[in-house]
Amino acid sequence: DVKVTQSSRYLVKRTGEKVFLECVQDMDHENMFWYRQDPGLGLRLIYFSYDVKMKEKGDIPEGYSVSREKKERFSLILESASTNQTSMYLCASSSTTWRSPLHFGNGTRLTVT
Amino acid sequence: AQKITQTQPGMFVQEKEAVTLDCTYDTSDPSYGLFWYKQPSSGEMIFLIYQGSYDQQNATEGRYSLNFQKARKSANLVISASQLGDSAMYFCAMREGLNDYKLSFGAGTTVTVRA
């Protein structure tokens, strides 16, 4: 069974802090994704990666960066947290079989005060 | 433009009845896939069912079936014999193009099953 693990379930940070959200998957998946989920907006793609060292901007990359130094780990970085980044963050991974779904972690609820 | 539209923010359904969740999509790519996910109050995202644009038959997985109408660009999820455990948020999502793996999601529909 695919397991995607996000390092924190809840985080509270102050405005201006640098925030790291970590995600690890154990199924040797090539593809990894970061989404944020807000009520009424569904899930919106922040960044994704199809290979180690590779990253691509999603629909809402402003204020975020990512790092993928190892295949199993994909980190989301908030360089200077702001209150409008308070949200649920979901990491996902998938294989390169086109019909395969995304497998999600349990999410990190980030509150920026 | 919104790629996935779910027009029903919330729905109520009686236990043991069927419920249909609407999803329309917008793409010009002939190769695409449609996915449905369930998100209970615990927050986990559970994959339910997949329909490919070239699939000849509507997808079914247990109590879940997909009413795929390609010409109308709709992929409605049908849950038969609703159970209390079906109460959750449901998301429709789309993957476009054969070399792209990311999903675009709709806003979701909250389903509440009444006893």
Side-chain angles (χ1 to χ4, degrees):
Chain A
D1 220 15
V2 177
K3 193 153 177 73
V4 180
T5 303
Q6 294 184 232
S7 53
S8 305
R9 189 80 171 106
Y10 299 96
L11 270 181
V12 179
K13 296 292 182 181
R14 293 199 182 275
T15 301
E17 278 193 79
K18 191 168 185 174
V19 182
F20 293 86
L21 302 183
E22 307 286 348
C23 175
V24 177
Q25 50 96 2
D26 66 358
M27 280 301 292
D28 203 34
H29 282 167
E30 289 81 0
N31 307 325
M32 296 190 75
F33 309 84
W34 275 106
Y35 287 86
R36 66 176 278 177
Q37 181 180 1
D38 300 288
L41 297 178
L43 279 71
R44 293 179 291 165
L45 182 64
I46 306 171
Y47 267 97
F48 61 99
S49 169
Y50 291 166
D51 201 356
V52 177
K53 306 277 188 184
M54 176 266 188
K55 59 186 178 185
E56 291 273 355
K57 293 180 180 179
D59 299 316
I60 52 164
E62 297 77 18
Y64 304 94
S65 62
V66 290
S67 171
R68 192 163 182 206
E69 297 295 318
K70 293 185 177 182
K71 190 175 186 179
E72 67 271 18
R73 187 179 295 270
F74 193 34
S75 304
L76 180 69
I77 304 154
L78 286 65
E79 297 289 344
S80 177
S82 64
T83 55
N84 62 11
Q85 293 178 310
T86 291
S87 186
M88 171 69 88
Y89 290 88
L90 291 163
C91 176
S93 73
S94 77
S95 72
T96 51
T97 303
W98 197 70
R99 297 173 70 96
S100 71
L102 266 57
H103 300 270
F104 284 86
N106 284 338
T108 296
R109 184 163 294 282
L110 173 68
T111 302
V112 182
T113 62
Chain B
Q2 199 75 5
K3 292 188 178 184
I4 295 286
T5 302
Q6 295 180 254
T7 57
Q8 308 149 309
M11 299 182 71
F12 290 94
V13 60
Q14 207 63 31
E15 199 177 7
K16 298 180 185 175
E17 293 189 350
V19 61
T20 298
L21 309 183
D22 294 341
C23 173
T24 57
Y25 57 92
D26 182 25
T27 180
S28 57
D29 199 310
S31 302
Y32 56 89
L34 297 153
F35 299 77
W36 277 91
Y37 283 85
K38 172 185 178 181
Q39 186 181 45
S41 56
S42 56
E44 61 190 305
M45 291 284 283
I46 302 166
F47 165 67
L48 296 177
I49 195 167
Y50 167 83
Q51 180 82 46
S53 60
Y54 299 115
D55 292 346
Q56 295 297 311
Q57 300 201 348
N58 286 347
T60 60
E61 287 288 347
R63 294 187 299 112
Y64 303 108
S65 60
L66 224 152
N67 183 1
F68 182 47
Q69 298 188 46
K70 199 169 179 177
R72 298 177 68 179
K73 292 190 174 179
S74 75
N76 299 339
L77 178 71
V78 180
I79 307 173
S80 63
S82 296
Q83 302 171 355
L84 295 177
D86 293 334
S87 294
M89 176 81 87
Y90 290 82
F91 291 100
C92 180
M94 178 174 66
R95 174 177 286 158
E96 299 175 85
L98 291 175
N99 295 316
D100 207 351
Y101 300 96
K102 63 184 184 291
L103 296 185
S104 300
F105 283 82
T109 296
T110 300
V111 172
T112 304
V113 180
R114 289 171 163 157

